Amino acid sequence: MNSLHKYCIPAFAVLAIAAAAQVAPVTLTAPVTPQKTPGADGFIQRWLLLEPIGVNGLTDSAVQAIVKKEYFPNQLTALPHDGDKVAVGDAQLTWHAVDTKLYNVNLYHFAHALGKPTSDVLFWAVTTINCPQEMHGVRLAIGSNAASVWWVNGKEVIGIYGDRQTVIDDGVSKRLTLNKGPNVVRAAVINGGGATDFCARFLDAEDKPLKGLTVSLAGAGK
């Protein structure tokens, strides 16, 4: 069982715990269906997240050096399954399939729930977007706390840097084409300290949320 399942508790219980212990409410759950449709505003709400890797640096050059370093084999090409493990140095890190209840993915909640560090860390995130037909002139629009770099179908398309807050559509890629069928979106999010999260959606040729997509993850929601 995905270790995040134990945090999928009723809303009233979450509120009671939050009031008593002053902890943040749970925003992430384990997927229960094979596919998920983006929210009304187009935000992608299903991802595979790798447990955090310790790093340091938020400037353009530091972030680019961090994401270009190979921490595990095929990190920019592999399609992990829920529960897969990778060796990073002496640590065994696990991929977790998550759904977010909000427009953003709260990486602080993710790491804290697993007893992992939340500061000076790198998170890898992967998802698969399924398109009913080829879609031209679309753009990937993202926000993150803090820096992040993004790839679509293996090509780096956008990066934002520095100690920043998550802002919707803070970074927007150049126009690109999504293939008919599966398209892989990959992100590296680096946090220096405090809160950390990200959001992502595709915009159509008129810069409106792209419709008709589904999201799926290997090994999730079976």
Side-chain angles (χ1 to χ4, degrees):
M1 178 183 291
N2 188 304
S3 56
L4 286 173
H5 273 291
K6 64 183 180 181
Y7 296 98
C8 305
I9 58 179
F12 72 88
V14 171
L15 293 174
I17 294 170
Q22 295 184 338
V23 298
V26 175
T27 60
L28 303 176
T29 61
V32 295
T33 59
Q35 293 191 335
K36 183 176 178 65
T37 302
D41 292 327
F43 290 103
I44 303 168
Q45 296 174 297
R46 175 168 291 182
W47 295 84
L48 275 164
L49 303 178
L50 183 64
E51 294 171 355
I53 299 169
V55 297
N56 199 309
L58 294 173
T59 65
D60 298 32
S61 58
V63 169
Q64 281 294 323
I66 287 168
V67 302
K68 296 299 191 295
K69 178 180 177 180
E70 183 177 276
Y71 299 94
F72 54 91
N74 305 314
Q75 67 185 22
L76 290 176
T77 57
L79 283 177
H81 290 68
D82 182 36
D84 281 357
K85 297 182 183 299
V86 297
V88 179
D90 296 329
Q92 286 282 332
L93 304 182
T94 304
W95 287 94
H96 298 269
V98 301
D99 283 351
T100 176
K101 299 177 182 179
L102 307 176
Y103 74 94
N104 62 326
V105 178
N106 194 311
L107 295 171
Y108 181 90
H109 289 178
F110 168 71
H112 183 72
L114 297 169
K116 302 295 182 178
T118 59
S119 298
D120 295 322
V121 288
L122 161 66
F123 296 92
W124 285 103
V126 183
T127 197
T128 301
I129 304 298
N130 306 294
C131 299
Q133 67 272 329
E134 194 171 73
M135 296 182 172
H136 300 276
V138 307
R139 302 200 290 174
L140 177 64
I142 58 90
S144 64
N145 181 349
S148 62
V149 180
W150 299 74
W151 297 260
V152 176
N153 292 330
K155 181 179 179 181
E156 185 177 327
V157 297
I158 186 69
I160 56 177
Y161 305 95
D163 187 7
R164 63 203 303 134
Q165 301 297 310
T166 296
V167 176
I168 291 172
D169 302 346
D170 191 17
V172 181
S173 74
K174 294 181 179 179
R175 304 268 176 204
L176 54 84
T177 298
L178 293 177
N179 302 323
K180 180 179 180 179
N183 296 265
V184 178
V185 180
R186 195 179 308 267
V189 181
I190 299 170
N191 187 49
T196 178
D197 65 314
F198 70 87
C199 61
R201 61 179 175 175
F202 282 99
L203 305 177
D204 64 18
E206 297 179 351
D207 289 333
K208 296 179 180 179
L210 192 62
K211 304 293 186 181
L213 308 176
T214 59
V215 184
S216 60
L217 303 176
K222 291 183 177 179

